[in-house]
Structure formats: C-alpha cells, structure tokens
Amino acid sequence: MKVYTKTGDEGKTSLLSKERVFKDSVRVHAYGTVDEANAAMGLAKSLTDKEWAVDIIHGIQKELISLNADLATDGSVTDSNQYRITPGHVERLENIIDKLEQQRIPQRYFVTPGETSASAALDLARTIVRRAERCIVRLRRTETVHTPVALYLNRLSDLLFVLARCVEQEDLIAKVTRAVMQVLKEREQFDGGTTDMLDRAKRMIEAAEKKAIEIGVPMVIAVVDAGGNLVAQERMDNALLASVSIALNKAYTAVALKMSTDQAAAVSQPGQMLYGLNTTDGCRMVVFGGGFPLWENGVLVGGIGVSGGSVDEDMTVAKAGLAAF
C-alpha cells in the first residue's frame, strides 16, 4: 500500500466511521494535536537514558494511539464498550503521578523548562497535551467526546510535568555526584592519598622488619600519609624507646621536605643553605638518614621512617620497606 493515497487532496479526511470531514475540523485538529504530543514524547524517550522513564513514556505512547482512535470516532457511537480508553487508564496515570510525587523534591517556584534535553522535550509534550485538551473542550461544545478521553489528557499533562521534574532531578543528582567524585579524586591526588595506604604500610613494615632481623638490629618503623599523619608504626622487641618518636619524625621530615632525610642532612650542615633546619617546626625535623618520601606516579603519597641502629643501618632497613611500596 502506498504512503500517499491522494484521497485527501481536496482537504478532507476520513473518520473511523468513514465519514469524510475537513482536515481543519475541530475533531481532526484534536487528534492531530495528540499525535504531535506523542511525537514530542518520542523525542523525550530518545533523549533519556533512564529505563524507568522510557517504560512510562512508551506505555503512554501506545495508549495515545488508542485515544486517537477514540477521538476519530464520531459521536454516533452509543455503546461505551466500543471505546478504547477507559476510566482504568485514567486511574493508572494517577497512580504513576502519585509514585513520582513521592520521589520528587517539592518546588516552590515556577519552572523554566530546559534544565536537561529530556525534561525540555517532556515539557514540550506537556504543553502540546494542554493544547489538545483545549481542542477537546471546544469539540465537546458541539459534538460528543468519550469522557475518559478528556480526563486522560488532563491527567497526562500533570504526569508529564512531574515526570520532567523527576528526570531533571535524577540528572542533577548524577551531575552533582560526578562533580563531587571529581573533586574527591583531585583532592586525593593533591593529598597523595591512596585508598589502600594502610595495607601498603603494613607490607612496607613487614619488609623492613625482615631486613632488620636479617642484620640483627631491632628497629622502629613508621609510615605516614602525604599530610605527615601516622598510618602505621611498629616497634620491634628491644628497640630503643627514643626511636619511636625519631622514626615518626623521620617519616614526617621526608614528607614535609619532599626529600630523604639523608639529603636534608647534606644541606643543613654548618655553612649550608638550610643550616639550623633541625630546630624548626617544633624540632620535628630530623636531619640524618633513615627517612624517605613515598612517590607514586609523580605524586607524593607519604613517607617512611626507620630508627634504631646506625644511620647506614636505618637507611638499609628503610630502603627495604621502600622497595615493598
């Protein structure tokens, strides 16, 4: 069957009863406007990635085809059972509205359409449905229109408003969530934080302790994060009590200066540019070997400090821990 029939070339079309009417009749204008709303809803459906919204829209689109069939049925039909749209369809729309309203954040201001592409298309469909409703009000002055049809369109415009707001709301939440996650990610990179820092610190301490046992020197091993805050610390049996704070301060110094403590020692000797460094920051700066910064992909993520033996022994044990990072 050809798409073009030429039967409407004189400006007339057929209702379901085969009655020929002019294309600008109020009845034809009414179901043509509903068809326009259906197309706008199709646009909204294509613009959203929310399956729940797609399901609602698609179900309504199918019902609008039946509704248009009722509109294309003239008032000579007396048996209401011959109509396709029933009070049950209207009730279904009301139930959907009630469910959506439970999810929607109340708005105490006039809505300006266009927050998202999908919600804008739904608002467009809503205004077209309102126009279709006005056509039906005009039609009912002179002809019969099945009552549930008018009620359906009235509820549909309300549903499309609420649906647009819920789609908008979900998109806004997703947008804010993405922004927050990006900020957290950037903050994590800036701070050098890693989600598995404690596990990695434990592995470093284990490796360092193994080396300390191997050389026969009880040590204190400390690991801090990029802010110099303690992540984990271990004092081996018989390790010097003083080494508890020294190890922690070595790790802190490595982070604070972004260099190993043996490098800090070289530049803080008399006559060097950082002479007296060890007296700053509440005397937390340690300027002898045993502390190393922890770098990951060029980002400072923490530090390790070891104390308990000679400088060379502390550095050897710290490097063993560093190798396990």
Side-chain angles (χ1 to χ4, degrees):
M1 182 178 179
K2 292 183 177 180
V3 173
Y4 59 92
T5 61
K6 300 183 180 181
T7 58
D9 288 354
E10 295 181 357
K12 286 190 174 183
T13 187
S14 296
L15 301 179
L16 288 184
S17 63
K18 306 302 182 182
E19 177 189 352
R20 300 288 290 175
V21 297
F22 283 103
K23 291 182 179 181
D24 63 351
S25 74
V26 179
R27 185 175 294 276
V28 174
H29 190 53
Y31 65 68
T33 305
V34 171
D35 190 36
E36 188 180 340
N38 199 337
M41 291 177 65
L43 175 62
K45 184 172 68 175
S46 71
L47 291 172
T48 184
D49 57 357
K50 297 165 183 57
E51 291 187 7
W52 62 267
V54 170
D55 290 341
I56 291 175
I57 295 170
H58 189 69
I60 293 171
Q61 285 183 296
K62 291 193 294 184
E63 291 177 352
L64 287 181
I65 295 174
S66 297
L67 184 141
N68 263 355
D70 284 351
L71 278 176
T73 302
D74 62 23
S76 62
V77 176
T78 57
D79 185 0
S80 61
N81 291 327
Q82 294 185 35
Y83 289 104
R84 298 152 187 83
I85 297 300
T86 67
H89 291 93
V90 178
E91 184 179 356
R92 190 182 77 86
L93 293 187
E94 293 173 348
N95 290 335
I96 295 174
I97 293 172
D98 291 340
K99 289 179 180 179
L100 292 176
E101 279 284 68
Q102 292 176 1
Q103 305 170 19
R104 184 170 75 95
I105 299 173
Q107 294 164 295
R108 303 183 184 279
Y109 51 86
F110 285 107
V111 172
T112 301
E115 288 295 326
T116 69
S117 297
S119 68
L122 287 168
D123 279 318
L124 175 62
R126 170 180 57 84
T127 60
I128 297 173
V129 169
R130 286 295 193 194
R131 176 150 49 88
E133 187 181 6
R134 292 193 294 272
C135 290
I136 288 175
V137 169
R138 182 181 176 189
L139 178 62
R140 293 177 74 178
R141 290 175 182 168
T142 56
E143 299 184 47
T144 300
V145 177
H146 187 46
T147 300
V149 168
L151 296 178
Y152 186 99
L153 289 178
N154 179 269
R155 301 300 188 276
L156 177 57
S157 60
D158 292 333
L159 187 153
L160 290 173
F161 174 82
V162 178
L163 181 59
R165 305 292 75 78
C166 287
V167 167
E168 227 168 43
Q169 180 177 299
E170 278 202 12
D171 285 338
L172 176 61
I173 292 172
K175 181 179 179 180
V176 171
T177 300
R178 287 193 300 269
V180 170
M181 293 304 295
Q182 181 62 32
V183 169
L184 291 176
K185 182 178 179 181
E186 291 173 357
R187 177 65 181 272
E188 180 179 297
Q189 292 175 345
F190 176 78
D191 290 342
T194 56
T195 56
D196 61 345
M197 192 63 183
L198 179 58
D199 289 337
R200 302 171 81 175
K202 290 178 179 178
R203 289 198 297 270
M204 294 173 68
I205 290 173
E206 182 180 357
E209 182 182 7
K210 183 178 179 181
K211 176 58 72 172
I213 293 172
E214 182 182 312
I215 65 176
V217 181
M219 299 282 194
V220 176
I221 307 112
V223 178
V224 300
D225 62 17
N229 304 300
L230 181 63
V231 176
Q233 185 172 29
E234 180 176 311
R235 180 192 177 202
M236 297 173 62
D237 291 341
N238 300 316
L240 296 173
L241 183 60
S243 293
V244 174
S245 60
I246 294 173
L248 178 57
N249 286 341
K250 282 184 180 181
Y252 171 82
T253 301
V255 169
L257 299 180
K258 298 185 179 181
M259 67 172 68
S260 63
T261 54
D262 61 292
Q263 290 177 312
V267 296
S268 60
Q269 298 300 314
Q272 298 298 315
M273 65 179 71
L274 296 182
Y275 176 62
L277 175 67
N278 57 303
T279 64
T280 64
D281 200 1
C283 296
R284 289 194 67 185
M285 296 295 182
V286 178
V287 290
F288 49 89
F292 293 90
L294 303 175
W295 297 93
E296 184 172 47
N297 299 323
V299 177
L300 181 68
V301 297
I304 182 173
V306 174
S307 177
S310 67
V311 170
D312 289 340
E313 288 170 337
D314 289 353
M315 292 179 64
T316 298
V317 173
K319 288 178 179 178
L322 189 63
F325 179 65

